[in-house]
Amino acid sequence: MVPRLDFRHRPWAAVISLLLLGCISSNSAAESAPMRPPFPIRKPVPPLPDDVTWLNSGGPIAWPQLRGKFVLLDFWTYCCINCMHVLPELKKLEQKYPRELVVIGIHSAKFETERDADNITEAVLRYGIEHPVINDHDMRIWRTFGVNAWPTLVLIDPQGYVVWAASGETTFEFLDELITQALPFYEKQNLLDRTPVRFDTAARRVPRTPLRFPGKVATDAASGRLFISDSSHHRIVVATMEGTVQAVVGSGRAGLRDGGFDEAQFSQPQGLAVRGNEVYVADTENHAIRRIDLVERTVTTIAGTGRQLRQAPTIDPKPGKNAQLSSPWDLYLVDDFLYVAMAGCHQIWRMNLKDGRIGVYAGNAIEDIVDGNRLPPAAYRMGYASFAQPSGLASDGVHLFVADSEGSSIRAVPFENNEDVRTIVGTAMLSYARLFTFGDRDGPREQVLLQHPLGVAYLDGYLYVADTYNNKIKRVHPQSGETVTLLGDGVSGDSDQPPRFNEPGGLAAAKGRLFVADTNNHAIRVIELGARPTVRTLTLEGLAPPEIEELEDGEAWEGAAAQQQTLRRLSLGNVTLEVTPRLPPGMKLNPGFPPEIKVLIRMQGNPNDEKPDITRTFRVESAELPFRVTLTADDMRNAASVDVRCRYFYCETGDSGLCRMGTARWLVPVEIAADGADVIRLSGGVTEP
């Protein structure tokens, strides 16, 4: 997606163009002389507008606050599959360089709906983004930096210079090499600030819900079952159509693991296809297709290696377990053929379930809305059908219907080889701007406009479309293209009356009803069709969010030197621990990150080790000084010393969104006595690891 922009009056565009042309590469640091800057082009970073909205942080951040760290700007828009592919790569980079790197997302929207800050926040939550995001509502930052494609990455070095940029998908390995080779120079020059930083992310402020951004639904009319991709809980829910939960498939932790229902792992699963007691799953972020056996209660990977396809897709089918896929988004099953909306490479694929082979069925892998012959002899051949991030599938038995999201179109793919791919409603007839023409308009085919539809279902001669970014469910005649709004007034919401949705992403039809994956409402809605369609929100009886233990952040407890304390005589009862770390001048505690205290209670020596040391970790409810926690009498009865470590976050007074991590540690010898005190008071300065 590359809009045409006029860069002639923006000198920054020339700099970015040089960077994008490869004047800076991951080998530049290795090629430069010792003690010289590792990047041949360095330009001071331009200022950010003062009035932009910062999301996923406690407030705005100024460039000077980030001196000493690499800053990676990610220009993205949340509809874009290529942008989605970059996010896991950035997360791996953030995990490797938590002290040296800060990622900032610059959200420069394609669709009108994507300009809204609340919608961007929902996308931040859906994709698990843990870094700040700026709503570049009017694309001012985009223009300032001379960006012309999604995604684009721009690297700022610890001295505040822009030094590297790249458009398109970029891997963790490439970025890792880039930073690894550059680090020695800044380290030798004492230019790095390795103080950990944290941000008050949106995820810390949202309630837990039984479903989390459900993406797709499927039905089995014969058994009366409903299947739900509980996408951001990384699991599949099996229920009756009336809402009684029968099974939950997956541990709730993201990963790629086969096995029983409790141990299997998915990552952002989307589309589902059902045949009897078999359920096929488009395991989107794992780039895999999984098979659920409802009788044996097992999950098996049948296609995909877990690694994204990054080269041109070959046309010939290959064994599924050896095939690399790219973001399979939806599935449709016809006899022994499983059709796949392969959103990441803009094609429709097909898997033969008898021999396990999978390959391209339609599309030349060029992102566009073009009708024509469905299957080219090789990828990127012009004159053949093109798709743009296909995301939903349905069928009438004669055609495979496709919700082609980035082109805001509904397509028909033939099952007969002598027919062409055609557009039912959408932008294929336009001579240009096919991916940038969208809206909300019903009527005859020639005037219909949709906005990023993700779901489609077929029932009784009609197509039903989840017109996702218009927050509507629409009905389309598959031959004439006549389109009407069934439910929804375009306003995002969760009410049944008036009927409102919030970016619905999936549809399934059965027994005169539509089941809607109302993604941003974390809900399943049921539409009763008829002369006057109605909607209700389905209650899923017995469903709870997964119980996932938080992984301990090991770096939080490293590096703090212990402050040795004098002997404290303590009572036989419970003991209150009061901790007061000293904050630097002009700083305040960040209430968005509750302080944590870890206490290691060492016992009196025992040759038989009958009384091992005790470790307790507390999350303090209030970020007010002093921090107070209670050590029980049972834990303290045979204590010889108490090792107290405290982690907390502080930021500048005002509305700054950048918070740094402080740690402090005290080693306190203790003696338990009947006349001892019932409080341990500790204070000290900030210790930055």
Side-chain angles (χ1 to χ4, degrees):
M1 295 180 287
V2 184
R4 295 181 179 178
L5 299 174
D6 184 359
F7 295 153
R8 289 174 296 176
H9 303 297
R10 282 182 282 125
W12 255 98
V15 176
I16 293 296
S17 296
L18 285 171
L19 297 173
L20 295 175
L21 285 171
C23 294
I24 293 174
S25 72
S26 60
N27 295 320
S28 60
E31 296 165 356
S32 53
M35 305 305 293
R36 295 183 60 189
F39 299 99
I41 297 178
R42 303 168 78 231
K43 186 172 180 65
V45 61
L48 292 171
D50 293 332
D51 58 347
V52 294
T53 300
W54 286 77
L55 309 171
N56 218 37
S57 70
I61 301 167
W63 294 136
Q65 293 178 288
L66 297 172
R67 289 290 188 269
K69 298 190 182 296
F70 286 96
V71 180
L72 188 60
L73 305 183
D74 174 25
F75 287 84
W76 68 299
T77 185
Y78 73 76
C79 68
C80 163
I81 193 67
N82 307 96
C83 301
M84 297 180 209
H85 289 162
V86 168
L87 291 173
E89 306 301 302
L90 298 182
K91 181 166 287 190
K92 286 186 281 188
L93 201 70
E94 290 173 292
Q95 291 170 347
K96 180 167 183 181
Y97 299 102
R99 298 168 182 261
E100 296 87 4
L101 173 72
V102 172
V103 176
I104 297 178
I106 311 295
H107 190 276
S108 306
K110 170 188 171 179
F111 288 97
E112 186 66 30
T113 290
E114 295 178 306
R115 295 170 182 258
D116 184 85
D118 290 340
N119 292 339
I120 300 170
T121 298
E122 293 295 334
V124 164
L125 292 166
R126 187 161 64 246
Y127 301 149
I129 295 173
E130 297 175 342
H131 52 252
V133 172
I134 298 173
N135 182 7
D136 187 20
H137 182 278
D138 300 316
M139 302 189 83
R140 284 178 291 166
I141 305 174
W142 170 286
R143 291 192 294 270
T144 297
F145 278 85
V147 176
N148 66 355
W150 297 281
T152 291
L153 299 178
V154 175
L155 184 66
I156 303 167
D157 78 353
Q159 291 179 287
Y161 291 94
V162 174
V163 294
W164 174 89
S167 288
E169 296 184 25
T170 307
T171 65
F172 161 77
E173 289 77 14
F174 183 91
L175 296 169
D176 180 32
E177 182 181 5
L178 185 69
I179 293 177
T180 296
Q181 292 187 4
L183 273 173
F185 167 79
Y186 297 97
E187 197 160 33
K188 289 178 181 178
Q189 298 296 314
N190 198 29
L191 296 171
L192 287 177
D193 176 4
R194 284 195 161 98
T195 305
V197 297
R198 293 293 188 276
F199 306 98
D200 190 5
T201 60
R204 303 183 68 89
R205 301 188 295 275
V206 296
R208 301 178 72 213
T209 51
L211 294 176
R212 188 77 175 153
F213 296 107
K216 297 291 183 184
V217 285
T219 56
D220 179 32
S223 65
R225 290 181 296 195
L226 175 68
F227 302 85
I228 304 165
S229 283
D230 190 7
S231 302
S232 290
H233 281 154
H234 313 292
R235 63 185 186 176
I236 308 301
V237 177
V238 184
T240 68
M241 292 185 187
E242 303 308 318
T244 300
V245 174
Q246 297 179 332
V248 175
V249 187
S251 68
R253 187 182 296 282
L256 178 56
R257 182 178 181 181
D258 291 345
F261 282 10
D262 292 337
E263 62 185 358
Q265 293 179 336
F266 303 88
S267 186
Q268 292 289 339
Q270 289 286 338
L272 304 163
V274 183
R275 180 172 64 179
N277 286 312
E278 297 175 321
V279 183
Y280 297 91
V281 182
D283 196 3
T284 303
E285 201 161 291
N286 278 326
H287 310 290
I289 297 173
R290 320 289 292 281
R291 176 182 175 272
I292 299 172
D293 188 319
L294 295 173
V295 176
E296 298 296 328
R297 297 179 63 84
T298 58
V299 177
T300 307
T301 301
I302 62 170
T305 63
R307 295 184 64 84
Q308 181 196 344
L309 174 68
R310 295 189 182 275
Q311 65 270 18
T314 57
I315 301 300
D316 295 333
K318 57 183 66 64
K321 292 188 177 180
N322 298 331
Q324 290 186 335
L325 314 182
S326 185
S327 294
W329 208 276
D330 203 8
L331 304 174
Y332 194 86
L333 186 60
V334 179
D335 299 325
D336 288 314
F337 289 104
L338 186 66
Y339 293 84
V340 185
M342 201 68 73
C345 50
H346 313 292
Q347 293 174 311
I348 306 301
W349 286 28
R350 184 174 75 172
M351 183 173 188
N352 187 329
L353 296 177
K354 284 186 176 181
D355 64 17
R357 299 178 71 82
I358 189 170
V360 178
Y361 181 76
N364 59 5
I366 297 172
E367 186 179 10
D368 206 343
I369 302 295
V370 176
D371 291 344
N373 192 290
R374 68 171 177 85
L375 186 63
Y380 310 126
R381 292 287 181 89
M382 302 296 289
Y384 294 85
S386 296
F387 299 85
Q389 202 170 311
S391 301
L393 299 177
S395 179
D396 61 355
V398 179
H399 295 89
L400 185 70
F401 301 114
V402 182
D404 219 358
S405 61
E406 280 296 278
S408 299
S409 301
I410 304 299
R411 319 289 296 285
V413 179
F415 289 133
E416 295 294 334
N417 291 332
N418 59 351
E419 290 187 37
D420 285 349
V421 172
R422 65 182 176 90
T423 297
I424 298 173
V425 291
T427 63
M429 77 291 293
L430 301 177
S431 58
Y432 63 93
R434 288 182 290 271
L435 301 186
F436 294 87
T437 300
F438 52 85
D440 183 7
R441 194 162 65 205
D442 295 349
R445 181 201 314 272
E446 295 76 16
Q447 71 180 42
V448 171
L449 290 176
L450 307 175
Q451 189 178 186
H452 198 75
L454 288 176
V456 61
Y458 179 84
L459 183 67
D460 296 335
Y462 285 98
L463 287 172
Y464 294 90
V465 176
D467 193 4
T468 305
Y469 285 3
N470 285 326
N471 302 306
K472 291 183 175 182
I473 306 301
K474 295 187 176 182
R475 189 183 68 192
V476 179
H477 194 282
Q479 279 75 46
S480 71
E482 182 79 23
T483 300
V484 298
T485 294
L486 186 73
L487 290 171
D489 58 7
V491 178
S492 63
D494 61 0
S495 63
D496 292 342
Q497 191 56 247
R500 284 181 174 162
F501 306 89
N502 193 345
E503 294 195 8
L507 285 178
K511 299 181 178 181
R513 289 178 285 182
L514 293 178
F515 294 84
V516 184
D518 197 3
T519 304
N520 284 3
N521 280 327
H522 316 294
I524 304 301
R525 317 290 292 282
V526 182
I527 297 174
E528 300 287 348
L529 297 173
R532 297 175 61 86
T534 60
V535 64
R536 61 184 172 88
T537 301
L538 184 67
T539 299
L540 292 167
E541 300 174 9
L543 186 66
E547 294 293 335
I548 301 296
E549 294 182 4
E550 294 186 17
L551 297 177
E552 184 173 298
D553 185 359
E555 62 135 2
W557 309 109
E558 298 174 357
Q563 302 175 48
Q564 189 69 40
Q565 304 292 299
T566 59
L567 178 70
R568 308 291 179 92
R569 290 172 57 85
L570 302 177
S571 72
L572 298 173
N574 294 346
V575 174
T576 299
L577 183 62
E578 290 188 357
V579 176
T580 308
R582 187 175 301 115
L583 299 178
M587 295 291 173
K588 64 179 180 180
L589 290 170
N590 179 4
F593 279 84
E596 293 181 345
I597 294 175
K598 177 182 281 189
V599 181
L600 175 62
I601 304 170
R602 300 193 182 279
M603 299 299 169
Q604 301 287 350
N606 187 315
N608 297 321
D609 290 331
E610 294 177 358
K611 300 180 179 64
D613 296 340
I614 296 173
T615 300
R616 296 284 182 256
T617 301
F618 304 90
R619 175 168 288 185
V620 183
E621 293 183 2
S622 174
E624 295 183 358
L625 296 175
F627 308 145
R628 292 186 176 90
V629 299
T630 299
L631 307 176
T632 68
D634 287 342
D635 286 349
M636 296 293 294
R637 183 171 295 115
N638 295 289
S641 67
V642 179
D643 186 344
V644 179
R645 306 183 191 197
C646 180
R647 176 178 76 161
Y648 49 96
F649 292 88
Y650 58 93
C651 41
E652 295 178 7
T653 54
D655 60 354
S656 173
L658 181 70
C659 292
R660 300 179 182 275
M661 184 178 77
T663 62
R665 181 182 175 189
W666 298 267
L667 187 59
V668 187
V670 300
E671 178 182 275
I672 307 301
D675 59 348
D678 58 4
V679 178
I680 303 176
R681 293 184 175 89
L682 301 172
S683 62
V686 172
T687 304
E688 297 179 350

